[in-house]
Amino acid sequence: MTRARVLLLNAALGPLDYRVPHGMGVEHGSIVVAPLGPRQIVGVVWEEERFPVETVGDNRLRPLLQTLDAPALRAPLRRLIEWTAGYYLAPPAAVLRMALSSSAALDGGRMVTEYRATGNAPERLTDKRTQALERIGSRQGLVRELAILAGVSDGVIRGLVKAGALEAVEVSVDTPFPAPDPDFAPPELSGEQEAAASELVHAVRGENFQPFLLDGVTGSGKTEVYFEAIAEALRRGRQVLVLLPEIALTEPFLQRFEKRFGVPPVAWHSGLRQSERRRAWRAAASGQAQVVVGARSALFLPYANPGLIVVDEAHETSFKQEDGVHYHARDVAVMRGLLEKCPVVLASATPAIETRQQVALGRYREIRLPARFGGAEMPAIEAIDLTREPPERGRWIAPKLVRAMDEVLEKGEQALLFLNRRGYAPLTLCRHCGYRFQCPNCTAWMVEHRLTRRLACHHCGHVVPTPRACPECKEEDALVACGPGVERIADEVAQLFPQARTAIVTSDTLWSPAKAAEFVRSMDAGEIDIIVGTQLVTKGYHFPNLTLVGVIDADLGLEGGDLRASERTFQQIAQVSGRAGRGEKPGRVFIQTREAGHPVIKALVRGDADAFYTAETESRRRAAAPPFGRFAAIIISSEKAEDAQETARLIGRTAPEAEGMTVYGPAPAPLAVLRGRHRHRLLVHARRALDVQDVIRDWLGKLTWPASTRVSVDVDPYSFL
């Protein structure tokens, strides 16, 4: 190869041609360094026919600088990058960046210097040094990583090194991972589980693409079933990818995996240190990482020999990426399985309507586990009509639920209260002048967090200390918290049950796998009596002594007119209900609602998921909504309000007329300002058969707008904010 077409990690550029210097060996997929003006930039050699460009004479080509010591990206991954870019209307370079997500992994094998605590206190112990040592604990990492972890500057960490409180450790970044043993501790499966596992094992042996929906009620043992498919893939020398929706689920899953296979799998998530990411990336690329468990970004790792993909809790909306490349990991996982010619398992107790429709069309094979494992029964579910049985004044927990909690605690059992709202209160206002605390960067209220004594925006992360006086009228002690968050419910629990040990479980408290592991250990040890949590506790956890679940505000998710509001509410409440009664003790669930007659609430109480999904599917069919029609959102944003508005109007008035397609908008987005940028939206609604990507690509490709204005397209949107 004397010339190479290279896809560079620059989303503003298309592929460029380069000369291959004499003696440099490159192939399609080779990771190279190329000159770009005065800079050097990483790219991947691509097939010329995949990205046609204007041909440039050999004499005008600049030479490649070097090939990097990393395995070439295989053809199936290159095809996945092309498909993802095409389907989600994203620059191919932006998708490629997800595959090359560890820049350190592109270097050759080497040692790095990390630091850990020695246990020796420095002579001069400042507040910052104390904070750093407390937060670092037994962890180890690079100077920058420890500084971020501790919330201090790099200088504080270097000072601790000089003072002897931290010591240097040489770490090989390519130390092999231990190999899982498929026959380490095989479980005893029920007849239904055995039949389900056999079907998956047969598919793994077939070494061909087949998507499965593993549809089992909560507690039915779906994990044990797909573990048998993982074991078969290991016996055949193939790699396995397991996708989880939340980083907080990773640590409990790793422990469960280790009990079955003898060693933990390779983890991939945002909480890894740089050296850990490098090691995992290279192990995946070489095939040495036999099982990788991670968040959605693990989908784009360059696996050498994949033989099975599992998407656990496949209904979860967190599999949809809401910034950058707007891909849905569940759907991209199926496409990767097709390209890699391996089975894909979508496991869920509450499958998405889109997945159910694929089953109905015969494209996915369904395996059902209709009963809980080991004779455990599904919990009894009862609605508490808050219009008839309201809580006491100033409280949020209805008397019937309070009595049930009292009974559970008396028996030494555990309870869970669910409210999908972080913080203490969603709105804080002044009772004297009516001033409301709004984020200066977003059209959103600041949420009060009393545990940290701060007001925070949950959209941009802006944080301010909670003031004593109103910023508008200067009146002191006039600020009022409106509405409940989990912290407020926890305060009420403390008043009602002062002897109970309560844990608040949200992304604010379980912000790392280690925190999640500590929470699980405390629950298993009986050190927690009552959990007050958000959607983080609705999935994946198994606590045999948890027998009561109370849903504080079941109507919360039904508000706002979102396309998937009913389905998402049903899934969340069904999932959190499934935490109750998973052991030998029976479980109960109380759903507090002001709309006891709502179809979602009635279906939950009756335990009739099929009836709910049938009605919801028919409603979508009549509206030609997904999966029977297609949506694509066009989002325009700029720091200048007039530029965003003008660009939105330009896009709106040039909208093409296509049969079976309607364009709504432009209109200010519900979040009209986000992170300081003014936002407008258009919504494209099209029939299923229309290639809406081609229409939008041609439409927007003819337009120009100010460089400071961003226009992004979200195909199959899940957020309408």
Side-chain angles (χ1 to χ4, degrees), residues 168-219:
V169 182
E170 290 293 313
V171 178
S172 171
V173 291
D174 291 329
T175 305
F177 289 96
D181 178 1
D183 301 308
F184 180 76
E188 291 185 16
L189 301 178
S190 68
E192 287 178 339
Q193 287 177 319
E194 188 69 54
S198 295
E199 193 165 351
L200 295 181
V201 166
H202 179 74
V204 171
R205 288 173 181 163
E207 298 190 357
N208 215 330
F209 172 64
Q210 173 63 62
F212 290 90
L213 168 60
L214 181 57
D215 181 0
V217 299
T218 54

Side-chain angles (χ1 to χ4, degrees), residues 120-304:
N120 301 324
E123 291 183 8
R124 193 169 65 87
L125 196 59
T126 64
D127 290 343
K128 286 293 185 182
R129 287 185 169 189
T130 301
Q131 174 181 312
L133 291 172
E134 286 177 352
R135 294 190 180 181
I136 290 170
S138 60
R139 295 182 181 87
Q140 178 176 309
L142 304 173
V143 168
R144 180 88 284 262
E145 292 168 344
L146 294 181
I148 292 171
L149 173 68
V152 298
S153 68
D154 290 7
V156 173
I157 301 299
R158 291 194 180 96
L160 288 170
V161 173
K162 289 181 181 178
L166 297 176
E167 64 180 357
V169 182
E170 290 293 313
V171 178
S172 171
V173 291
D174 291 329
T175 305
F177 289 96
D181 178 1
D183 301 308
F184 180 76
E188 291 185 16
L189 301 178
S190 68
E192 287 178 339
Q193 287 177 319
E194 188 69 54
S198 295
E199 193 165 351
L200 295 181
V201 166
H202 179 74
V204 171
R205 288 173 181 163
E207 298 190 357
N208 215 330
F209 172 64
Q210 173 63 62
F212 290 90
L213 168 60
L214 181 57
D215 181 0
V217 299
T218 54
S220 58
K222 296 183 291 296
T223 305
E224 283 69 24
V225 167
Y226 71 66
F227 271 1
E228 294 310 292
I230 291 174
E232 184 60 27
L234 292 172
R235 294 186 189 103
R236 305 181 75 82
R238 306 293 296 276
Q239 289 175 289
V240 179
L241 166 63
V242 181
L243 292 179
L244 300 177
E246 298 279 0
I247 187 175
L249 293 178
T250 306
E251 194 68 24
F253 183 92
L254 299 185
Q255 295 175 4
R256 195 168 177 181
F257 184 96
E258 186 171 1
K259 288 179 181 177
R260 169 63 179 87
F261 295 101
V263 299
V266 177
W268 180 268
H269 52 73
S270 59
L272 296 179
R273 305 194 311 272
Q274 178 182 317
S275 58
E276 291 173 324
R277 290 176 69 83
R278 174 201 157 90
R279 182 185 176 204
W281 193 97
R282 290 185 70 87
S286 68
Q288 196 272 320
Q290 293 179 271
V291 181
V292 175
V293 175
R296 56 179 179 254
S297 59
L299 186 56
F300 289 93
L301 288 174
Y303 302 101

